Amino acid sequence: MRAPLPQPHPERDAVPAVAVAVAPLPPVAGAAPVAGRVRLSWVGAPRPLTRRRRVALTLLSFLLPLGLWAAVSYLPFLWHPLVEVTNPGDVAWMEPGMRVPRAAFSDEVAAAQGAGMAVPEGRPANPVYLPAPHEVAVAFWTSLTAPPPQRDTIWLPASLWHSIQIIFWGFTLSSLVGVPLGILCGAQPTIARLTEPVIEFVRYLPAPAFGALMVAILGIYDGPKIAIIVIGTFFQQVLVIANTTRRVDPLLIEAALTMGSRNLRLIRRVIVPAVLPQIYRDQRILLGWAWTYLIVAELIGTSSGITFFITQQARYQHFDNVYAAILVIGLVGIATDIVLALLGRRLFPYARAEA
């Protein structure tokens, strides 16, 4: 006969109460608790900006430097170290429009007063190399619409078009070799180890250092200019695109290998479509580097293009035209980038963030 099971005793078997400390919940990213309330932090988890805020911040990014430039140009108490002569009086060496230091102008005024001569008159002015915004705007419009006043100067649109052709051919030739080689380096470690070490070395060599050599090989006209842009962008292009190609999802490649894709077919049908939006974005960035090398390239051999225009106008001390030409380069660059960005959205609607 089985023994009866022990019955639970209410006092003996009572479980003692244990105080459990409940830990407070972690603070929300981007917020800091202060004295019973939550204070938002301006650094933390990024939040998407509204369309109105994006537009306002974009306009502000241009208006702030423009406002600083206008303040320095139009407010005499900020920075006007010179005096622009409006009436030379009886001072023989002064002419209307001449800009002289304040101390020299004050000495001439005191000397003229002491000698009983007509006192020179002037107004506060900045150095000639810092024209006011309205002067640059006038020069910008005049340079684009009116032919140059001097016979030996070139027209800004003609010089700009010449520079655009140099950029086009240099960057196109660089991309025809750099993009395929970069993809191969990113997809095949043996090719990468064979080529990337020497490319890493050569990319630190300044492209302008090859100028004299390119002139000796290609002549003094556009050949060496195109070559400098190729040298300046090719090696960077290979490394950037190789690094982009290495970011392809390994699971995607494994799945393609399992389904029978091999070698060039794997590159053409899997790797290239996967990285094409990001490569397109890389090319937009590298195109900006090509514009940077253009200024140096156009100084090699015969002077030409927009660099020659800038150099010539600076020689004549027409710095308003110099600023206008620099502004044209920036406008062409940003307009090109915007067009390429819109084209990328059409070409790669599935990856708008990368394109």
Side-chain angles (χ1 to χ4, degrees):
M1 185 174 181
R2 300 176 60 183
L5 296 175
Q7 298 296 322
H9 193 277
E11 297 180 357
R12 181 190 63 195
D13 298 333
V15 179
V18 179
V20 179
V22 179
L25 294 175
V28 180
V34 178
R37 61 185 180 88
V38 176
R39 181 167 59 89
L40 296 179
S41 173
W42 63 279
V43 176
R47 294 182 179 181
L49 299 175
T50 62
R51 180 179 178 83
R52 178 179 297 179
R53 190 178 183 86
R54 290 199 308 268
V55 172
L57 291 175
T58 300
L59 293 176
L60 192 61
S61 68
F62 286 94
L63 292 177
L64 284 177
L66 181 60
L68 178 60
W69 182 17
V72 172
S73 300
Y74 299 129
L75 299 179
F77 58 86
L78 281 184
W79 188 65
H80 282 63
L82 304 180
V83 175
E84 182 180 356
V85 178
T86 58
N87 182 10
D90 290 335
V91 180
W93 61 271
M94 285 188 179
E95 296 179 358
M98 178 184 293
R99 302 189 185 199
V100 297
R102 282 188 174 183
F105 186 82
S106 299
D107 292 342
E108 292 296 335
V109 169
Q113 290 176 346
M117 299 187 301
V119 177
E121 300 176 358
R123 58 189 177 188
N126 282 327
V128 67
Y129 56 78
L130 185 63
H134 75 279
E135 296 174 342
V136 175
V138 171
F140 176 81
W141 178 254
T142 304
S143 299
L144 292 178
T145 57
Q150 294 88 4
R151 287 186 176 182
D152 59 338
T153 56
I154 58 175
W155 199 20
L156 179 58
S159 60
L160 177 63
W161 174 242
H162 187 270
S163 297
I164 290 175
Q165 295 180 69
I166 298 295
I167 287 286
F168 173 80
W169 289 113
F171 193 69
T172 299
L173 292 176
S174 174
S175 300
L176 287 177
V177 182
V179 172
L181 182 57
I183 293 174
L184 288 176
C185 290
Q188 224 295 326
T190 302
I191 298 177
R193 182 52 54 186
L194 183 65
T195 58
E196 287 193 16
V198 67
I199 291 177
E200 285 278 4
F201 170 75
V202 176
R203 79 184 180 97
Y204 285 103
L205 303 180
F210 295 90
L213 181 61
M214 293 299 103
V215 169
I217 298 173
L218 301 174
I220 62 174
Y221 297 104
D222 291 344
K225 308 176 194 308
I226 296 174
I228 292 301
I229 293 177
V230 171
I231 294 172
T233 57
F234 170 76
F235 302 101
Q236 312 286 351
Q237 198 171 48
V238 173
L239 298 176
V240 169
I241 293 177
N243 186 55
T244 297
T245 305
R246 293 188 184 100
R247 290 203 289 260
V248 177
D249 190 353
L251 296 179
L252 185 63
I253 298 178
E254 291 292 338
L257 291 172
T258 303
M259 299 178 66
S261 294
R262 295 290 186 276
N263 301 328
L264 292 180
R265 180 181 177 87
L266 177 64
I267 293 177
R268 187 178 71 254
R269 302 294 296 273
V270 178
I271 295 178
V272 171
V275 299
L276 198 56
Q278 184 61 40
I279 288 179
Y280 184 85
R281 184 175 180 273
D282 292 340
Q283 290 295 90
R284 286 171 49 198
I285 297 174
L286 290 164
L287 182 59
W289 291 5
W291 277 99
T292 302
Y293 283 108
L294 172 72
I295 302 300
V296 178
E298 288 186 334
L299 294 175
I300 296 173
T302 57
S303 298
S304 62
I306 197 165
T307 305
F308 179 54
F309 179 87
I310 292 174
T311 305
Q312 195 176 53
Q313 296 301 315
R315 187 181 302 120
Y316 293 141
Q317 291 194 348
H318 297 163
F319 289 100
D320 50 353
N321 290 334
V322 172
Y323 279 82
I326 296 173
L327 184 62
V328 166
I329 295 176
L331 291 176
V332 171
I334 192 65
T336 303
D337 189 71
I338 292 174
V339 171
L340 292 177
L342 295 176
L343 182 61
R345 293 184 180 182
R346 292 295 184 93
L347 293 175
F348 314 107
Y350 53 90
R352 291 193 173 186
E354 287 81 7

